[in-house]
C-alpha cells in the first residue's frame, strides 16, 4: 500500500510539522492561564447592550490592578482576567464593569485561584500526561507480548510512544500559534483535551496493530511466507476506511462545538480538532509504517 511504500514522505511531513511546532513554542512561548499561574477571571453580561471595549479598558486601567486582559465573549458579555483580587479590588472591578452601577449587569462567572494552587495544578497536569503515556506504552507492550516475530512486542510500544509524542507536540504547537493571535490560554481544559486526544489516538493505533497481529498469526498458522511490509500495508488498507470515517464523524461534531459551543469550550474544541487530525494521521501514516522501518533496521543489523 502507498502508506508503507512512501512512508519516508509521511515521516518527513511529520518531522516538518514537529519542527514548526517546536519553533512556535520557542518563538511565542506558552500563554499560561490562571488555572496554572493563579489569578481571577470575571465574566459579566449586559442586559441592555454591551458598552464599548475601549471605554471599559481605560476605566479598568485606572484601578491599578496590574496586567489584565479584557475580552468580549458572546454577544452581550465581557471576560476580564487579572491577578488574584481581594474583596476591595473585586468590588471596584465589578463597579467599573457596571459603569458605576448605571448599566444592568449580571456576574456570570467569578473564579479566583492562588499562585500556589495554580502551580500545583500545573505540576499535576503535566504529571498526568506523562503517566498516561507511560501506562499506554506498558499496556501496548503487554497486549502484544505474544508477538515476537518479525518484530518484538516492545517495538509496538516504541512505535506507539513516538506517535503519542507526535500527537501531543503538534496540537500544542498549533495551539501556541492560535493563542498568539486569539489570546487562548493553556489551562486545565487544554490538558483535558490532550488527554482525550491521547486516548483517541492510541485506540485508533491499536485497531491497526491488532489487524497486523491477526495477519501475522494467520500467516504462521497457514505457514505462509509474506514480507512484513506487505502484511502491514494490507492491515492499514483494511482499517483505512474505518479510521477516516470515525475521525470524520468526530471532526464534524467538534466543528459544531467550536462554532456553537460558546467561548468557554471554543479553545477546548480547537485543541481536540487538531488532536483528532494529528492522531488519525499518526495512527495511519506514522505508527504502523514505523514498524516496517524498525523491522528493516533489525534485518540490516542482523546481516552485518
Amino acid at each position: 500500500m502507498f502508506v508503507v511504500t512512501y512512508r519516508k514522505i509521511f515521516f518527513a511531513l511529520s518531522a516538518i510539522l514537529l519542527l514548526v511546532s517546536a519553533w512556535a513554542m520557542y518563538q511565542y512561548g506558552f500563554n499560561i492561564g490562571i488555572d496554572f499561574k493563579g489569578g481571577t477571571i470575571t465574566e459579566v453580561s449586559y442586559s441592555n447592550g454591551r458598552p464599548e471595549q475601549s471605554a471599559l479598558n481605560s476605566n479598568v486601567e485606572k484601578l491599578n490592578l496590574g496586567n489584565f486582559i479584557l475580552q468580549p465573549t458572546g454577544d452581550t458579555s465581557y471576560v476580564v482576567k487579572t491577578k488574584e483580587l481581594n474583596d476591595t479590588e473585586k468590588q471596584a472591578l465589578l463597579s467599573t464593569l457596571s459603569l458605576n452601577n448605571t448599566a444592568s449587569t449580571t456576574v456570570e462567572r467569578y473564579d479566583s485561584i492562588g499562585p500556589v494552587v495554580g502551580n500545583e495544578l500545573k505540576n499535576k497536569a503535566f504529571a498526568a500526561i506523562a503517566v498516561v503515556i507511560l501506562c499506554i506504552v506498558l499496556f501496548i507492550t503487554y497486549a502484544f507480548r505474544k508477538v515476537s516475530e518479525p518484530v518484538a512486542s516492545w517495538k509496538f510500544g516504541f512505535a506507539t510512544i513516538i506517535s503519542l509524542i507526535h500527537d501531543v507536540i503538534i496540537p500544542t504547537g498549533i495551539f501556541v500559534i492560535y493563542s498568539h493571535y486569539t489570546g487562548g490560554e493553556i489551562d486545565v481544559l487544554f490538558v483535558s483535551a490532550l488527554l482525550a486526544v491521547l486516548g483517541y489516538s492510541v485506540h485508533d493505533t491499536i485497531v491497526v496493530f491488532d489487524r497486523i497481529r491477526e495477519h501475522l498469526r494467520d500467516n504462521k498458522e497457514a505457514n505462509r511466507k509474506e514480507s512484513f511490509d506487505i502484511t502491514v500495508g494490507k492491515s492499514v488498507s483494511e482499517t483505512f476506511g474505518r479510521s477516516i470515517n470515525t475521525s470524520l464523524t468526530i471532526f464534524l461534531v467538534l466543528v459544531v462545538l467550536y462554532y456553537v459551543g460558546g467561548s468557554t469550550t471554543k479553545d477546548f474544541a480547537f485543541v481536540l480538532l487538531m488532536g483528532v487530525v494529528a492522531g488519525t494521521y499518526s495512527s495511519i501514516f506514522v505508527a504502523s509504517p514505523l514498524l516496517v522501518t524498525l523491522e528493516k533496521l533489525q534485518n540490516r543489523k542482523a546481516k552485518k
Side-chain angles (χ1 to χ4, degrees):
M1 187 190 182
F2 74 97
V3 172
V4 174
T5 304
Y6 299 106
R7 61 186 180 280
K8 291 182 180 177
I9 295 176
F10 299 119
F11 291 164
L13 180 58
S14 288
I16 291 171
L17 291 173
L18 288 170
L19 287 174
V20 170
S21 299
W23 170 83
M25 287 184 256
Y26 174 78
Q27 180 70 19
Y28 299 126
F30 299 101
N31 185 19
I32 305 295
I34 67 168
D35 292 358
F36 295 148
K37 68 180 181 183
T40 299
I41 181 168
T42 307
E43 181 175 353
V44 174
S45 65
Y46 296 83
S47 56
N48 296 320
R50 188 168 59 190
E52 290 294 327
Q53 183 175 356
S54 57
L56 277 183
N57 256 323
S58 59
N59 289 337
V60 175
E61 280 179 358
K62 294 174 184 175
L63 298 177
N64 294 320
L65 299 177
N67 294 330
F68 70 91
I69 299 173
L70 175 69
Q71 292 176 316
T73 177
D75 296 327
T76 62
S77 304
Y78 279 113
V79 168
V80 187
K81 298 172 183 174
T82 63
K83 65 174 186 176
E84 188 180 11
L85 302 179
N86 57 38
D87 289 340
T88 303
E89 291 170 330
K90 175 186 174 182
Q91 293 306 321
L93 176 63
L94 294 179
S95 177
T96 299
L97 293 175
S98 66
L99 306 177
N100 294 323
N101 301 319
T102 59
S104 177
T105 60
T106 302
V107 179
E108 303 290 349
R109 180 165 47 141
Y110 183 83
D111 296 326
S112 185
I113 298 176
V116 176
V117 176
N119 192 51
E120 185 179 349
L121 278 174
K122 181 174 66 178
N123 293 336
K124 287 184 176 179
F126 289 117
I129 293 176
V131 169
V132 167
I133 291 177
L134 178 63
C135 290
I136 288 173
V137 171
L138 291 176
F139 171 75
I140 295 288
T141 304
Y142 177 77
F144 289 83
R145 65 190 183 283
K146 294 183 180 178
V147 179
S148 57
E149 294 179 353
V151 294
S153 62
W154 68 267
K155 292 181 179 176
F156 283 85
F158 179 76
T160 303
I161 196 171
I162 294 297
S163 64
L164 291 182
I165 292 173
H166 172 281
D167 299 341
V168 169
I169 292 179
I170 290 178
T172 301
I174 294 174
F175 183 77
V176 166
I177 298 172
Y178 166 85
S179 62
H180 178 71
Y181 295 101
T182 64
E185 295 180 336
I186 292 179
D187 52 15
V188 172
L189 280 179
F190 172 84
V191 175
S192 301
L194 282 187
L195 291 174
V197 167
L198 290 177
Y200 165 79
S201 176
V202 74
H203 177 266
D204 214 31
T205 302
I206 284 178
V207 170
V208 186
F209 282 3
D210 199 47
R211 188 57 59 90
I212 294 173
R213 179 170 59 179
E214 286 179 10
H215 283 307
L216 289 174
R217 185 176 59 231
D218 293 343
N219 290 340
K220 187 176 181 180
E221 290 175 354
N223 198 23
R224 185 167 49 237
K225 301 294 182 184
E226 185 178 72
S227 64
F228 188 57
D229 53 346
I230 291 178
T231 302
V232 172
K234 189 165 61 178
S235 303
V236 173
S237 298
E238 292 172 354
T239 55
F240 189 84
R242 173 258 171 213
S243 295
I244 295 298
N245 290 336
T246 304
S247 303
L248 189 59
T249 304
I250 300 172
F251 188 86
L252 292 176
V253 171
L254 291 173
V255 167
V256 173
L257 179 64
Y258 179 81
Y259 285 105
V260 181
S263 60
T264 306
T265 57
K266 198 177 184 72
D267 294 345
F268 176 73
F270 181 81
V271 179
L272 282 176
L273 274 170
M274 296 302 104
V276 166
V277 173
T280 305
Y281 180 87
S282 70
S283 65
I284 297 174
F285 300 102
V286 177
S288 300
L290 187 58
L291 287 176
V292 175
T293 299
L294 291 172
E295 189 260 352
K296 290 190 178 300
L297 290 174
Q298 173 183 289
N299 293 340
R300 195 176 303 166
K301 187 177 179 181
K303 290 178 182 176
K304 288 183 180 178

